[in-house]
Amino acid sequence: MSKDYKDVLGGGLLFATGAYALGVALFDLPIGPLGRMGPGMFPALAGGVVTTLGLGITLSALQRRGTPARVGLRSTVCLLGAILLFSLLIPRFGLVPAVMVASLTAIHASDALRLPGKLLLAAGLALIAVLLFGYGFQLQVPLFDCCPRREKSRGRR
């Protein structure tokens, strides 16, 4: 009997990711009581939920038939490239350019949208990132940093 290996793989990845987040939160961060939650409370709760969902998806996928999982080279390169580009661009150019470039790179993994739709989606994601992280969470990340500053070296004279 063939198993639904796509969901087995996806559920296993969710389980592993959630278990990792839960472990880091429990062992490395203070949880605190509910009245004074510590920085580990949300990652612990999120990790627990993701771990449970991953386990449920994996167990249910083992009980049904499915098609073999195939991983496309284009989608893998685009998604990993988007993560790499985001991490390289955000400290140098700011949140909005980093989200735009990473989004366009990730969207390129699919042919579902044409260029105007891809640009509109990337702009929408950048707007959501600005509203959520820039204004909602008030993270100290520049939204635009088009002219990166060079640190002056403090050499001895």
Side-chain angles (χ1 to χ4, degrees), residues 17-54:
T17 304
Y20 175 76
L22 182 61
V24 168
L26 291 177
F27 295 111
D28 293 342
L29 298 171
I31 302 289
L34 286 175
R36 294 185 49 89
M37 291 185 228
M41 180 68 78
F42 180 75
L45 291 173
V49 168
V50 171
T51 301
T52 305
L53 288 174

Side-chain angles (χ1 to χ4, degrees), residues 7-154:
D7 279 355
V8 169
L9 179 63
L13 289 173
L14 280 175
F15 179 82
T17 304
Y20 175 76
L22 182 61
V24 168
L26 291 177
F27 295 111
D28 293 342
L29 298 171
I31 302 289
L34 286 175
R36 294 185 49 89
M37 291 185 228
M41 180 68 78
F42 180 75
L45 291 173
V49 168
V50 171
T51 301
T52 305
L53 288 174
L55 183 63
I57 290 169
T58 302
L59 292 177
S60 67
L62 288 172
Q63 298 174 1
R64 65 177 178 266
R65 292 179 179 220
T67 59
R70 289 181 291 173
V71 178
L73 180 63
R74 176 180 169 186
S75 58
T76 302
V77 169
C78 286
L79 294 176
L80 291 176
I83 295 168
L84 178 66
L85 285 170
F86 182 81
S87 65
L88 292 174
L89 293 176
I90 196 164
R92 291 173 180 82
F93 298 102
L95 181 67
V96 173
V99 169
M100 289 287 294
V101 170
S103 298
L104 288 171
T105 304
I107 295 167
H108 188 65
S110 171
D111 290 327
L113 293 174
R114 294 183 183 211
L115 185 60
K118 290 178 181 184
L119 291 172
L120 188 61
L121 180 58
L125 290 172
L127 177 64
I128 290 170
V130 167
L131 293 175
L132 184 65
F133 297 111
Y135 297 110
F137 293 134
Q138 297 180 350
L139 292 181
Q140 298 300 314
V141 174
L143 299 180
F144 289 97
D145 197 3
C146 296
C147 303
R149 295 170 294 283
R150 295 186 181 199
E151 299 275 334
K152 292 182 180 180
S153 62
R154 295 183 181 200

